[in-house]
Amino acid sequence: MFKNKKTTLILVVIVIIVIAVGAWLIIKNKDDKVSETTGSAATSGKGEEKSLSQTFYIYDTVVNIKVFGETVAQKNMDDIQHMLERMDMELSRTKEGGEVYAVNQAAGKEAVVVSDETLDVIKQSLQYAEEMDGLFDPTIGPLIDLWNIGSGGDKVPPQADIDKAKSLTNYKDVVIDETAKTVKLMKENMVLDLGGIGKGYAADRIADYLKEQGLDSAMINLGGSSIIALGKKPNGSDWNIGLQDPDQSRGTQLGTIKIADEVIDASGVYERYFMQDNVRYHHIIDPRTGYPSQNGLKSLTIMSPNATIADALSTGVFLMGKEDGMKYLESLPEEVEAFFITDDNKIYATAGIKERMNLTDPTYSFAE
């Protein structure tokens, strides 16, 4: 009887060991599969042609990053992911625990201490608002929330509601104390919204980080609307970027353009909108009127050495319209190129664009 018990015990132990080893193998295989597909970057090439590419979902968009260089490593991608996650939390107006969220919660009540990074973004956004006479306005949040375009909004709000939201939109009602590192919104129910500058700022910080790491060839794509080409391709040639057709779905091209060590940032009426009474109401809202802009433009594409500037300009200059926008861009001290596409499919471009752009869709043509 004792012998039978001993044999049974040995068998039970063997079964437990087999189950444990099997479970470990299953978990290991699962972890390896996750690491290959989502947990780590895809590697290709060797030497200077070596590249790592990885995709993240952040800022409510798909972010694709590809970095070239013999020394590029998974740690670089992990560092970038942590940077993006930190900035997404700090600058989001909807994430509880974030700094901009806290500023909005305290609107009309008290100042909120923020990090150096958040303070920097807000300072820059107010600077661009001042320079563009409020056409770029980081306090556009109440109007964004009211129209809710792209998130369920499908009809024009009542005029009284538009007027109320417009009265809460004024960048001059944002008070910064640089010594105390605080931000205060002067009116209750004001909403700070850094969506018009946040992706560009993040792209610049990624580019700065890569340069510090000795990596000077990369493509950073934040959702297609904000792309930064760091340096040139490893073979020394320019990057060839597809240009979005404003009448088609995301990914459909009207042509390509060559860029090097430059940012390309686009705003258009094609991504988020609804139709009412044969009028397209899109997500680019004019703070002067409280309504989406109706100025004859389908899209505006900005090219600049700095992604933060490009992000802000792509909104503010779009609202200026073609003629005023072109004059404004030509007056800037920075080296900024741009092209406007109008409702009649004509392209109006700053000097130097034509020789860099290759149109592949005969629907569009350069204006004479």
Side-chain angles (χ1 to χ4, degrees), residues 40-343:
S40 63
T43 306
S44 64
K46 294 181 179 179
E48 293 183 358
E49 295 286 338
K50 177 186 174 183
S51 70
L52 258 65
S53 58
Q54 192 160 345
T55 299
F56 311 96
Y57 184 79
I58 203 160
Y59 283 103
D60 292 326
T61 192
V62 177
V63 175
N64 294 293
I65 298 175
K66 188 170 187 176
V67 183
F68 292 86
E70 192 171 359
T71 61
V72 65
Q74 180 63 47
K75 180 182 183 303
N76 299 129
M77 289 298 184
D78 292 343
D79 288 347
I80 289 171
Q81 182 175 0
H82 294 151
M83 288 170 59
L84 287 170
E85 289 173 347
R86 185 190 69 248
M87 286 186 283
D88 186 34
M89 172 59 77
E90 286 178 354
L91 305 181
S92 171
R93 65 187 180 90
T94 60
K95 294 183 184 296
E96 292 188 29
E99 294 181 347
V100 170
Y101 179 88
V103 170
N104 289 335
Q105 291 295 109
K109 302 170 186 174
E110 59 186 2
V112 174
V113 176
V114 297
S115 64
D116 290 340
E117 196 166 51
T118 299
L119 193 68
D120 185 36
V121 183
I122 296 173
K123 280 172 56 181
Q124 289 195 51
S125 69
L126 295 177
Q127 175 190 334
Y128 299 134
E130 184 72 31
E131 292 177 358
M132 286 184 271
D133 198 24
L135 287 180
F136 172 82
D137 194 323
T139 64
I140 194 85
L143 285 166
I144 298 295
D145 288 341
L146 177 63
W147 285 86
N148 202 31
I149 296 173
S151 301
D154 59 0
K155 62 182 179 180
V156 177
Q159 185 62 49
D161 293 346
I162 292 174
D163 292 340
K164 182 179 179 181
K166 191 155 69 79
S167 71
L168 295 170
T169 302
N170 189 342
Y171 69 94
K172 294 180 180 179
D173 288 330
V174 182
V175 176
I176 288 179
D177 185 329
E178 294 193 48
T179 303
K181 296 183 181 179
T182 62
V183 179
K184 182 178 181 180
L185 305 181
M186 298 306 293
K187 294 180 181 178
E188 194 171 352
N189 297 320
M190 283 183 70
V191 179
L192 190 64
D193 185 331
L194 300 176
I197 196 174
K199 285 198 293 185
Y201 187 87
D204 280 335
R205 298 292 74 73
I206 294 170
D208 290 343
Y209 164 79
L210 290 173
K211 291 174 184 176
E212 290 168 1
Q213 299 298 308
L215 300 166
D216 56 6
S217 179
M219 178 61 64
I220 304 162
N221 186 336
L222 280 79
S225 61
S226 188
I227 300 171
I228 182 167
L230 184 61
K232 293 192 174 188
K233 290 182 178 180
N235 63 10
S237 64
D238 292 344
W239 305 90
N240 203 34
I241 306 297
L243 299 171
Q244 171 68 29
D245 183 336
D247 280 334
Q248 302 296 328
S249 61
R250 168 62 66 187
T252 306
Q253 297 181 4
L254 61 86
T256 60
I257 193 165
K258 292 183 180 299
I259 64 174
D261 210 22
E262 197 172 15
V263 176
I264 184 166
D265 198 293
S267 287
V269 303
Y270 48 85
E271 294 234 47
R272 302 193 300 276
Y273 67 91
F274 66 84
M275 300 294 296
Q276 183 174 321
D277 299 327
N278 294 320
V279 176
R280 184 196 295 255
Y281 293 93
H282 53 81
H283 71 288
I284 307 174
I285 297 175
D286 190 331
R288 297 169 299 186
T289 65
Y291 283 80
S293 171
Q294 303 291 340
N295 60 9
L297 289 181
K298 286 184 178 180
S299 69
L300 166 65
T301 301
I302 298 283
M303 278 158 285
S304 164
N306 182 282
T308 310
I309 292 174
D311 211 3
L313 287 176
S314 68
T315 299
V317 174
F318 185 98
L319 293 172
M320 292 179 193
K322 174 177 66 67
E323 293 183 6
D324 289 344
M326 191 72 77
K327 290 177 183 176
Y328 180 80
L329 290 172
E330 291 171 349
S331 72
L332 293 176
E334 298 92 354
E335 186 179 341
V336 177
E337 298 278 4
F339 66 90
F340 302 77
I341 300 180
T342 54
D343 286 341

